[in-house]
Amino acid sequence: MCVFLHRIWLFWVYADDKLIYSVEQLHSVFGNSPGVIWNFVDVPSETEQLTVIVRAAYPQVRQKKIDFYAGDTGRMYKYLLYSSEAEVIVSLLEIMVGVVLIGYWLMAHKRVPIERDISYFGVFALLTGIWSFNETKMATILIPSRTACAFVSAVSLMLMIPPFVQFMKCFWKIKDRWISETICVMAYLNFVIQMLLQLTGILGLRQISLEDLVC
């Protein structure tokens, strides 16, 4: 049996009243929910009754849909991995482009005058690649610490705005600095506030966007 549970669900699987699988709520700096992950549950062949208990990590999402699939685990793995090949390739290319551009600027700016727009775009591409890879089906299967990956993905998404704004400013040779700097300051302020809420346990990064998920 395969069950897809979003970051907002906790669950326990019982085979004839015996617990065979569980996803518990986590309490760490990375978050309080298990993250986005495909859960593969091996059900004993002699099982007569299968019971799945599901609980929402947050009360706002109790009515969301949950998908269950039954079949051969190997075939499910292959299907999920093959279906996300294009997404993974694009994400890795973005990461590679970001690393190459940042490395090129670090080596070149010491020898010849070169604008910072290349480095800004490299940082933006790197953050985009990290975020997009963490959202692929392959990542939800291959990376065990989904809570940490969800945390990294959220941080990458929040930090995309400043390098993109700075890249556009340098690329188009915009002389006005107040608008761009105001946007960057607001983005960093948003990042700091959300990180403080996350680290203090008041409100998680994923929980902040739950209203969007419900809608």
Side-chain angles (χ1 to χ4, degrees):
M1 182 183 74
C2 170
V3 54
F4 174 67
L5 295 176
H6 210 270
R7 56 180 171 265
I8 49 183
W9 299 110
L10 313 172
F11 76 109
W12 299 262
V13 180
Y14 292 86
D16 295 331
D17 297 328
K18 181 180 179 182
L19 181 65
I20 60 174
Y21 195 88
S22 65
V23 174
E24 305 286 346
Q25 189 164 10
L26 303 176
H27 298 280
S28 68
V29 295
F30 298 121
N32 297 327
S33 59
V36 181
I37 188 170
W38 285 88
N39 299 277
F40 294 87
V41 182
D42 293 325
V43 181
S45 57
E46 67 277 4
T47 301
E48 296 182 359
Q49 182 179 7
L50 187 68
T51 305
V52 180
I53 301 176
V54 182
R55 181 168 66 86
Y58 308 112
Q60 299 95 320
V61 291
R62 289 173 179 168
Q63 304 302 321
K64 283 192 69 71
K65 179 184 177 182
I66 305 173
D67 297 321
F68 294 86
Y69 301 91
D72 180 69
T73 304
R75 292 183 179 179
M76 291 182 182
Y77 269 115
K78 291 180 181 179
Y79 170 76
L80 294 173
L81 293 176
Y82 291 155
S83 63
S84 63
E85 278 185 346
E87 301 170 1
V88 172
I89 292 174
V90 172
S91 300
L92 294 179
L93 284 176
E94 290 177 338
I95 294 175
M96 291 176 59
V97 168
V99 172
V100 170
L101 290 178
I102 295 173
Y104 173 75
W105 184 83
L106 290 175
M107 292 184 294
H109 87 284
K110 296 181 179 180
R111 302 178 182 179
V112 295
I114 185 173
E115 296 291 339
R116 292 185 177 183
D117 51 348
I118 294 179
S119 64
Y120 289 137
F121 186 77
V123 173
F124 174 73
L126 179 62
L127 294 174
T128 304
I130 294 174
W131 167 75
S132 60
F133 178 77
N134 276 293
E135 299 297 324
T136 62
K137 295 178 182 178
M138 183 176 292
T140 60
I141 295 175
L142 298 180
I143 302 178
S145 180
R146 291 306 306 164
T147 307
C149 287
F151 177 83
V152 172
S153 180
V155 170
S156 301
L157 189 61
M158 287 189 290
L159 293 178
M160 283 183 194
I161 298 176
F164 180 76
V165 171
Q166 293 296 337
F167 164 73
M168 295 300 296
K169 176 184 175 182
C170 294
F171 183 79
W172 294 108
K173 308 297 181 182
I174 300 175
K175 296 182 179 180
D176 178 74
R177 52 182 294 185
W178 293 107
I179 296 178
S180 60
E181 290 188 358
T182 299
I183 295 174
C184 292
V185 169
M186 291 179 64
Y188 285 125
L189 183 62
N190 173 68
F191 170 74
V192 171
I193 292 175
Q194 293 202 38
M195 287 297 298
L196 289 175
L197 293 174
Q198 170 83 11
L199 296 176
T200 55
I202 298 175
L203 201 64
L205 295 178
R206 296 298 187 177
Q207 191 175 4
I208 293 173
S209 60
L210 279 181
E211 292 182 359
D212 299 330
L213 294 175
V214 176
C215 296

